[in-house]
Amino acid sequence: MAGIVAYGVTTDERPLLERALGRDHDLRCLDLILNADTVATATGRRIVCSSVNDVLDETVLRALAEGGTELITQRATGYNNIDLDAARKLGVAVSRVSFYSPYSVAEFAWGLALAVDRRIPRSVTRTRDFDFRLNGLMGRDFHGRTAGVLGTGRIGTAFARIAAGFGMRLLGHDVAPNEECEALGMEYVDRKRLFTESDLLSLHAPLVPETYHVVDAEALALMKDDAILINTSRGGLLDAHALVETLRAGRLEGVGLDVYEEEAGVFFFDKSLEVMTDDTLARLMTFRNVLISSHQAYFTRDAVGQIVRTTADNIADHLAGRTSDNTLVPAAHRHDAGSAADGA
């Protein structure tokens, strides 16, 4: 039995984790974000199940290693919040969920696109006040327009397949073409053409140094005044300050954001009784054509169930001394089942 602590656990996710891990391990589920202020809560825990908002820099990783943690298994695909070099140096193994339902995110991206285009949130707010006028609610058909997909991996491909179903022209940009997307009729173009020609631009690229602020002021200036921008991937892909300036200039038909670069410590928490100190986020909230959700695109029973099952598999692999495609940093050495960190 291994001592496990999971961070950033939602109410809906907790029973899934408890069923998958609680019977065979000493599991503790916390809704805390793991960072330098909370790392003491992991002391004596052999395994840490992290979330994308946890801060796993060298300081935190060192404290985890000194407290007996030997595996960090991230309940997400992205891992830019983890200092892998530091983990390797400290002998802490790291794994992730390299794949889960791409449809969860792709479908949610389309939900945002449709909600923004057809002014659904504004309409619902009005009708709750028994105001049934149509003034200001006119949208447009996506059929016949151009969908741009930045990043055509599994999620981008699922998004493109839905776009094809709407009868849209498809443009894509990635380091290499995807045959599935090409079979849908997608034309791969450079970034300039992608930004210039897209009526709907959806971001599905990973956050790496090459894609940081890939949608910056220059890219936004290239976009059509009536384009719609959707980001359900990583907040760092988009320069939010530049987006505010673009919107202030009266450009872009609408924006749907499920992620935000500075979301750590804000998203997944109730901040309704606090002053919002992030001026950029607060300003984005004031635009009527901007819809912001709280990093929930992945949050379906199918996707979260798959994430939990993969996390359980990652833990089983580690305890058995195995690696897999989910391994980012392999264990420095085998630990026996009687580790002093277990169950503490």
Side-chain angles (χ1 to χ4, degrees):
M1 176 179 286
I4 302 172
V5 57
Y7 291 91
V9 178
T10 67
T11 302
D12 295 319
E13 186 184 17
R14 180 187 291 266
L16 298 176
L17 280 168
E18 289 176 343
R19 281 198 295 270
L21 297 170
R23 288 173 294 188
D24 300 321
H25 303 287
D26 177 15
L27 173 67
R28 185 183 186 195
C29 292
L30 303 175
D31 61 2
L32 300 173
I33 293 298
L34 175 59
N35 56 32
D37 294 328
T38 62
V39 68
T41 58
T43 300
R45 295 282 164 167
R46 188 174 176 183
I47 296 166
V48 165
C49 293
S50 58
S51 68
V52 291
N53 280 332
D54 294 330
V55 179
L56 290 153
D57 55 18
E58 184 169 4
T59 299
V60 172
L61 289 168
R62 185 175 298 281
L64 289 174
E66 291 174 352
T69 296
E70 61 187 53
L71 171 67
I72 294 163
T73 182
Q74 177 113 314
R75 302 190 315 281
T77 299
Y79 52 89
N80 52 288
N81 60 317
I82 306 173
D83 187 336
L84 297 183
D85 290 335
R88 195 173 289 109
K89 181 175 65 176
L90 293 164
V92 177
V94 182
S95 62
R96 63 162 176 161
V97 177
S98 58
F99 171 79
Y100 60 85
S101 167
Y103 309 109
S104 59
V105 179
E107 290 172 6
F108 191 86
W110 269 105
L112 286 177
L114 289 164
V116 168
D117 177 55
R118 303 304 299 270
R119 281 70 165 168
I120 293 173
R122 188 185 305 179
S123 174
V124 170
T125 299
R126 281 187 185 180
T127 57
R128 286 186 182 277
D129 291 331
F130 299 98
D131 179 354
F132 299 101
R133 293 174 299 166
L134 297 181
N135 298 340
L137 300 182
M138 183 177 287
R140 58 182 178 177
D141 294 356
F142 282 122
H143 178 84
R145 289 188 163 83
T146 299
V149 186
L150 181 63
T152 55
R154 292 186 178 95
I155 297 173
T157 299
F159 182 90
R161 192 176 294 114
I162 298 170
F166 273 95
M168 301 187 75
R169 171 186 176 229
L170 299 178
L171 296 181
H173 180 84
D174 209 326
V175 292
N178 183 317
E179 291 182 359
E180 276 190 71
C181 290
E182 288 182 320
L184 294 170
M186 177 177 285
E187 178 186 0
Y188 278 84
V189 297
D190 59 29
R191 288 179 184 173
K192 183 175 181 180
R193 278 193 61 193
L194 188 77
F195 296 136
T196 302
E197 298 181 25
S198 295
D199 297 299
L200 167 65
L201 177 62
S202 192
L203 310 183
H204 298 289
L207 181 60
V208 294
E210 294 75 19
T211 60
Y212 177 71
H213 282 186
V214 63
V215 182
D216 56 10
E218 183 179 351
L220 290 165
L222 292 171
M223 293 181 68
K224 298 178 181 182
D225 287 349
D226 61 351
I228 291 174
L229 174 63
I230 304 294
N231 187 10
T232 54
S233 183
R234 290 289 179 266
L237 298 176
L238 173 64
D239 183 339
H241 177 72
L243 177 61
V244 167
E245 295 305 310
T246 299
L247 292 164
R248 286 185 61 193
R251 300 186 60 250
L252 298 185
E253 183 76 6
V255 176
L257 304 178
D258 186 54
V259 290
Y260 176 65
E261 187 173 359
E262 303 298 330
E263 69 181 55
V266 178
F267 283 21
F268 305 141
F269 294 96
D270 181 2
K271 298 291 182 178
S272 60
L273 299 179
E274 300 179 23
V275 174
M276 177 51 63
T277 58
D278 186 322
D279 292 340
T280 301
L281 180 59
R283 186 67 177 96
L284 283 171
M285 292 285 194
T286 67
F287 293 103
R288 291 188 175 183
N289 60 339
V290 174
L291 181 58
I292 299 176
S293 53
S294 54
H295 204 142
Q296 70 181 83
Y298 78 99
F299 206 55
T300 66
R301 293 186 185 92
D302 310 86
V304 175
Q306 193 169 359
I307 288 169
V308 169
R309 289 192 297 273
T310 302
T311 298
D313 290 342
N314 289 342
I315 291 170
D317 284 341
H318 174 79
L319 296 176
R322 299 186 298 261
T323 60
S324 72
D325 291 340
N326 297 321
T327 303
L328 297 171
V329 177
H333 57 83
R334 257 316 270 281
H335 294 263
D336 60 44
S339 170
D342 285 356

